[in-house]
Amino acid sequence: MRTSPADPFDSPLETGLRALVVLEAMYPRACDLSEMTWYDHLVVNTADIADRDGGEGPRSLHPATPGRHDALNIRRQAVEASLMLMHRVHLVEVRHCEDGIRYASGETTPSFLDALQAPYMLRLKDRARWLASRFEGMDAADIAAVVDRHVGLWAVQFRSGEGDRP
């Protein structure tokens, strides 16, 4: 989905704000691009995934539209662009690790996010905290298995490079 420069929906700014909220909730965990793409989908579609006990996740922020899972295939580029935008303004740290590039909440991210108090942002922050607790202590392979089980194998297999981790 391509947006015009004046369209804020799914723009690098909107996607970047979601990424910041997720990374801050996940802190100190640093996430790779695949994880961030899964989280970008799940943080607004929390009803698509069960909680740790198998119960329902929180009500989704976005409507359950048909084909929303198919959009994950094109989200990767948007998520990457948004992370780079947030890195340029010093809100996201880019870490070069043995297992690849990882992204983490920057030092100024908490104070920046504290200033964002719109009702939607508060609900997004709640969903991100739920998501962080849902995946706490799990490695990327375990998270990939959960995403596969609840959202579908396509979500795990959309990676572009053979060196990408699940």
Side-chain angles (χ1 to χ4, degrees):
M1 171 186 325
R2 187 169 279 263
T3 60
S4 73
D7 188 356
F9 300 108
D10 282 331
S11 67
L13 179 58
E14 180 192 13
T15 304
L17 289 174
R18 280 196 306 266
L20 288 178
V21 169
V22 166
L23 288 171
E24 180 57 24
M26 296 285 177
Y27 188 82
R29 181 186 182 105
C31 304
D32 68 14
L33 183 56
S34 293
E35 288 176 87
M36 288 305 298
T37 304
W38 301 333
Y39 297 148
D40 183 65
H41 170 83
L42 292 172
V43 75
V44 295
N45 294 290
T46 46
D48 284 355
I49 192 162
D51 66 18
R52 282 183 172 253
D53 299 323
E56 290 184 19
R59 184 172 163 215
S60 293
L61 290 176
H62 293 182
T65 57
R68 72 187 176 282
H69 298 120
D70 296 334
L72 194 57
N73 290 322
I74 61 172
R75 297 295 314 147
R76 183 182 179 93
Q77 289 178 328
V79 170
E80 185 173 28
S82 74
L83 289 165
M84 291 299 94
L85 172 64
M86 294 298 133
H87 174 67
R88 282 193 300 274
V89 295
H90 308 286
L91 292 168
V92 166
E93 290 181 11
V94 177
R95 299 179 183 168
H96 298 270
C97 305
E98 285 184 23
D99 61 349
I101 297 172
R102 296 183 131 336
Y103 305 92
S105 177
E107 187 177 311
T108 59
T109 301
S111 58
F112 175 79
L113 290 176
D114 284 345
L116 303 178
Q117 296 295 313
Y120 178 85
M121 286 302 293
L122 295 175
R123 290 191 304 270
L124 185 67
K125 291 173 187 180
D126 286 341
R127 297 326 188 271
R129 284 189 294 271
W130 177 85
L131 200 64
S133 70
R134 171 64 179 87
F135 293 117
E136 185 176 17
M138 297 173 73
D139 64 19
D142 293 335
I143 296 168
V146 171
V147 172
D148 178 27
R149 190 168 50 254
H150 292 284
V151 182
L153 188 58
W154 54 266
V156 177
Q157 294 182 336
F158 73 91
R159 295 178 301 278
S160 62
E162 290 191 29
D164 287 355
R165 297 181 326 105

